[in-house]
Amino acid sequence: MTSTATLPAEAAAPPEQGRDPHARRFGLPIATCLVMGNIIGGGIFLLPASVAPFGTISLVAFGVLTAGAIALALVFGRLSQRLPQTGGPYVYARAAFGDFAGFLAAWSYWITAWVSNAALAVAAVGYLTVLFPAVGEHKAAMCLAALAVQWLPALANLAGTRYVGAVQLVATVMKFAPLLFVAVGGLFFFDPANLGPFRATDQSPVGAVSAAAAILLFSYLGVESAAVSAGEVRDPARNVGRATILGTAAAAAVYLLGTLSVFGLVAHDKLVASEAPFTDAVNAMFSTDGGAGGTWAGTLVACAAVISMLGALNGWTLLSAQTPYAAARDGLFPKVFATKKRGVPVAGVLVTVVLASGLTIYNYTAGSDGVFEVLVLVTTFTATVPYLLSTAAQIYFLLSGRSERVHRGRLVRDGILAGLAFGFSMWLVAGSGYAAVYQGVLFLFAGVLVYAAMSARKHRATA
């Protein structure tokens, strides 16, 4: 029989949050922005060109993935009602399956966060060179720019949750304005002749959808953002689920409308080879000579991309500290991670940004070809481990007959949602590829040694 862990309630704000003017709990709007901002990083600016080779059938793949992401969001909403504590997937896995499963969720999520932060910073530099071409002339300048892009959000986090929320709100509004402009405004310039074939490859419809989905699968990573920071959300049992669903639905709407608009604005043969599809789309909306036209469009898209990534880094930096904080509070991570100042786990933020900075410096100096890309690909697997454990925890709660955690009248509906979310999570694992799964498992096994040490220390402390 599996022993489950008893989790402390976190219904009230920690004492320091009640006194410190720099610490403030997130309301529904900020929590929703956290979800939206973390789901949509910089990938949206290349997605239309990435899936264009498959034809407009890729929109079907988007629809299927959106349904899976919404199911996963609903499951996180249900779980956050039962266990509204900081840590999200870690809390759910530990409550259902014990310390070891909880540790694996925390460990894999933490790896995902700091490696992804390095990748986001490197990608942001690519857009910064459009705004400041001199940055791209020397590797040292690019490295310094990438480090600045990481440390600015980290400093906002260290200033307190009040500033994290403010930055997230401003970044979300500023990046969504141009994206919505193209997504909605582009429909008025939509030309069906630009769509190209429905199925542009020789694959079967199912094969084409699966192939397009393999590229799009990771577009929805981040749906758990509000759940991970539940302890910093006001009335988490009510607001975390709502923020998760609203944020995921809003991100899905931008993805789908944006991709559809670009498909209808840029000719298919040009879109397949495009390196800046949103720039091409804006040029198509306002260029009168059919040429590249208006360099302002490239500047607009580059600004939106940089803001988008800074917002994502701001949110992911907070999440990268929250999961170790929850695990450290239970004795499964070093105790230093459990210290909060101004509502923020300071050690978690600092350790995460230092590790991400080290990986960034390695990428620009001693990095071998492909090593950085391999590490980023591994995170696509490690990110799905907490999803699988969370959906499995929901299924466990539903089937275990624990009436205090299960609403009997919603048993069938919750069971269907959990099954869909588990299938979606498995699809994410399959889409990451054999090499990523193999290497990701090695990362998980490295964590087993850390768990052994922390578990032994915890046992000595309670003996």
Side-chain angles (χ1 to χ4, degrees):
M1 180 179 294
T2 303
S3 61
T4 58
T6 302
L7 297 171
E10 206 174 58
E16 68 270 26
Q17 284 188 317
R19 296 193 298 264
D20 195 332
H22 301 288
R24 179 178 296 174
R25 286 197 151 195
F26 303 146
L28 179 62
I30 300 296
T32 302
C33 286
L34 185 65
V35 176
M36 294 166 64
N38 285 359
I39 291 177
I40 299 182
I44 187 174
F45 297 96
L46 293 176
L47 275 180
S50 300
V51 297
F54 301 100
T56 52
I57 196 172
S58 56
L59 295 174
V60 177
F62 245 136
V64 173
L65 289 173
T66 298
I70 294 294
L72 187 60
L74 288 168
V75 168
F76 275 118
R78 298 286 186 270
L79 287 167
S80 66
Q81 289 175 353
R82 296 177 185 137
L83 299 163
Q85 292 100 27
T86 294
Y90 159 76
V91 173
Y92 314 143
R94 181 170 177 259
F97 310 121
D99 284 352
F100 185 60
F103 174 84
L104 287 181
W107 177 259
S108 59
Y109 197 82
W110 185 55
I111 290 173
T112 299
W114 65 264
V115 176
S116 296
N117 280 6
L120 272 172
V122 171
V125 171
Y127 290 100
L128 276 174
T129 58
V130 176
L131 303 174
F132 308 101
V135 172
E137 294 178 2
H138 303 284
K139 275 195 172 183
M142 295 173 69
C143 183
L144 288 174
L147 292 175
V149 166
Q150 290 177 61
W151 278 91
L152 286 174
L155 292 175
N157 272 263
L158 293 173
T161 51
R162 175 180 181 178
Y163 303 98
V164 174
V167 170
Q168 199 66 22
L169 180 61
V170 172
T172 301
V173 172
M174 289 184 68
K175 78 178 178 182
F176 267 70
L179 288 174
L180 286 174
F181 175 73
V182 175
V184 178
L187 297 177
F188 293 95
F189 299 86
F190 192 90
D191 184 356
N194 288 329
L195 290 176
F198 178 69
R199 186 156 45 95
T201 66
D202 295 331
Q203 296 169 294
S204 67
V206 174
V209 169
S210 297
I215 296 174
L216 301 170
L217 277 172
F218 310 105
S219 302
Y220 287 107
L221 294 180
V223 298
E224 74 292 341
S225 300
V228 173
S229 294
E232 276 58 62
V233 177
R234 287 197 295 269
D235 192 5
R238 181 169 180 261
N239 284 332
V240 167
R242 295 168 67 193
T244 300
I245 295 165
L246 289 173
T248 304
V254 171
Y255 276 148
L256 288 167
L257 282 178
T259 303
L260 179 62
S261 291
V262 173
F263 273 22
L265 288 168
V266 184
H268 180 260
D269 57 345
K270 182 180 179 181
L271 182 59
V272 170
S274 176
E275 294 183 358
F278 273 81
T279 297
D280 293 337
V282 175
N283 283 334
M285 292 168 66
F286 295 101
S287 177
T288 57
D289 59 2
T295 56
W296 64 270
T299 302
L300 174 68
V301 172
C303 285
V306 171
I307 292 170
S308 178
M309 292 185 185
L310 282 172
L313 278 164
N314 181 64
W316 277 106
T317 299
L318 177 64
L319 298 191
S320 68
Q322 296 286 26
T323 301
Y325 160 76
R329 189 185 56 197
D330 298 321
L332 298 179
F333 257 59
K335 187 178 296 185
V336 66
F337 284 93
T339 302
K340 272 190 175 184
K341 292 183 179 178
R342 300 179 174 181
V344 175
V346 176
V349 170
L350 288 174
V351 172
T352 292
V353 73
V354 168
L355 288 172
S357 297
L359 183 55
T360 301
I361 294 171
Y362 175 82
N363 175 69
Y364 284 109
T365 55
S368 303
D369 291 341
V371 172
F372 186 74
E373 289 76 9
V374 167
L375 284 173
V376 172
L377 186 59
V378 167
T379 65
T380 60
F381 165 73
T382 57
T384 62
V385 173
Y387 292 175
L388 283 169
L389 289 170
S390 296
T391 52
Q394 172 71 338
I395 292 171
Y396 167 78
F397 291 142
L398 293 172
L399 297 180
S400 64
R402 297 169 70 177
S403 58
E404 74 277 9
R405 285 194 168 99
V406 178
H407 298 277
R408 294 293 182 180
R410 298 187 299 197
L411 181 62
V412 174
R413 182 188 64 183
D414 286 357
I416 292 173
L417 285 174
L420 289 173
F422 188 85
F424 177 67
S425 301
M426 287 295 291
W427 197 9
L428 287 171
V429 172
S432 60
Y434 293 109
V437 172
Y438 169 74
Q439 291 157 344
V441 168
L442 294 181
F443 271 80
L444 287 183
F445 284 175
V448 173
L449 183 62
V450 178
Y451 173 77
M454 296 307 303
S455 183
R457 176 180 295 180
K458 182 180 178 181
H459 178 74
R460 289 197 306 268
T462 56

